[in-house]
Amino acid sequence: MIRRPPRSTLSSSSAASDVYKRQHYKELVCEHSGGPVVVDTMVNSKDEKLQEEARILLLNLGRGNPRFQVHVAETVLTLLGCGNAVAQRMGAQSTRQYMQTLPPGFDSVVSCMPMLKSGDLQVQYEASELIKALSKYAYLHEAIIENLVKVLDIPIPVKTDSEDTDPLQEQAMRGVLRQHGAACKVLGTLANSHPALMPLMISQGVVGYVARSLTTMDYECIQHASGAIANFCSESTEAEAVCESVLTEPLVFSVKEDHLRFYRELEPDMVAGIKLRAGHMIEARKEEQLRKAEQTDAAKIDQLNEDLNTTELGS
């Protein structure tokens, strides 16, 4: 007796047809700007159930859709800098999932930096997780460190002594302090998870920027900065020597002993000394970068002139 497959069992040709139809519908949605419409809906909604459904839809649009996979992933990146905390979290989660099949680009690094400024701890957590995921790609290491340094280079608005403090100025100051603290925390985490990044951090002047964050007189920022310095010292003797040159050896010992209570050591004269030494280190690095850029430009001009002379001789 010949056993026949159940009627519900699909043949290989039928299954292939279904895959083609799904891909075709995804392409139709993308051709009619479906991705940006979904993203706009997420930005303008605070309904978590709707956000989750939209996230799943974006993931489905990007998978099994070779024509529009990159386009959908780039569209999702625009969520990271929006002011909607729920949408930012969903965007970061989706970006991490896209990375399983699509190697991330440098725009992923730049796009996640504004998330560090958020007052929402879940958004900061998602930003940290995304940066850690991006750090698995060696070609992004320099971009990650450079962008975190740029965050720490943002000037903190000065708080006035006047009682009539501008609420917008206060909000801007708190946002920058959060961003500084979060950047220090991420750098400390990267030092632990990727010790091979320490030489790059040292060459980019990270120690000077993190040390300067100790002088903000903001408890949270100081906690994250001291934690980062403790990690730097535990992972690299060279980093420890640089830290000692900025903080002094006794202060580095205190950080290593208990970085959570380090803020108690920060007397006004110590803060002034750290700010001065860290400022000198940062300025020296900027001058070195400028000198290297000028040398690179001069080399390019020399090469261009040489190519022109070669062309003229050849003609």
Side-chain angles (χ1 to χ4, degrees), residues 34-59:
V37 169
V38 175
V39 165
D40 286 343
T41 302
M42 295 176 75
V43 170
N44 295 310
S45 172
K46 293 187 178 180
D47 186 323
E48 295 213 17
K49 185 176 180 182
L50 185 148
Q51 293 274 4
E52 179 62 21
E53 293 295 336
R55 183 184 73 85
I56 294 170
L57 176 57
L58 287 171
L59 286 175

Side-chain angles (χ1 to χ4, degrees), residues 158-188:
V158 180
K159 187 176 182 180
T160 60
D161 295 330
S162 172
E163 294 182 2
D164 300 327
T165 306
D166 183 0
L168 292 177
Q169 184 185 20
E170 180 75 19
Q171 185 179 359
M173 184 182 70
R174 292 303 313 160
V176 176
L177 284 169
R178 277 196 301 267
Q179 204 168 15
H180 279 228
C184 289
K185 184 178 181 180
V186 171
L187 285 164

Side-chain angles (χ1 to χ4, degrees), residues 146-312:
E146 281 182 0
N147 278 277
L148 288 170
V149 166
K150 285 179 183 177
V151 169
L152 293 174
D153 200 30
I154 298 172
I156 299 172
V158 180
K159 187 176 182 180
T160 60
D161 295 330
S162 172
E163 294 182 2
D164 300 327
T165 306
D166 183 0
L168 292 177
Q169 184 185 20
E170 180 75 19
Q171 185 179 359
M173 184 182 70
R174 292 303 313 160
V176 176
L177 284 169
R178 277 196 301 267
Q179 204 168 15
H180 279 228
C184 289
K185 184 178 181 180
V186 171
L187 285 164
T189 302
L190 291 177
N192 263 349
S193 59
H194 293 79
L197 281 173
M198 283 311 308
L200 180 59
M201 290 189 190
I202 293 169
S203 68
Q204 294 287 347
V206 164
V207 173
Y209 286 99
V210 174
R212 191 173 66 176
S213 294
L214 292 171
T215 68
T216 58
M217 305 311 294
D218 179 77
Y219 174 76
E220 185 178 348
C221 193
I222 292 171
Q223 290 283 63
H224 292 321
S226 58
I229 288 172
N231 287 346
F232 295 163
C233 294
S234 66
E235 298 298 340
S236 167
T237 53
E238 184 182 359
E240 184 173 359
V242 177
C243 290
E244 288 175 353
S245 69
V246 183
L247 303 182
T248 71
E249 189 173 340
L251 285 181
V252 168
F253 177 79
S254 296
V255 171
K256 289 163 61 179
E257 284 293 300
D258 188 356
H259 72 86
L260 293 176
R261 296 173 183 245
F262 175 71
Y263 68 94
R264 297 180 180 179
E265 304 277 341
L266 293 173
E267 299 292 337
D269 57 331
M270 291 181 178
V271 170
I274 293 171
K275 186 179 289 187
L276 182 66
R277 291 187 292 273
H280 287 162
M281 181 177 287
I282 290 168
E283 287 305 315
R285 173 186 172 270
K286 288 182 177 179
E287 289 174 5
E288 184 183 355
Q289 281 186 317
L290 182 61
R291 187 167 55 252
K292 286 182 178 179
E294 289 172 350
Q295 290 173 351
T296 302
D297 290 342
K300 287 180 180 178
I301 292 171
D302 291 342
Q303 184 63 47
L304 182 60
N305 290 333
E306 186 179 338
D307 292 342
L308 288 172
N309 291 335
T310 303
T311 303
E312 288 173 0

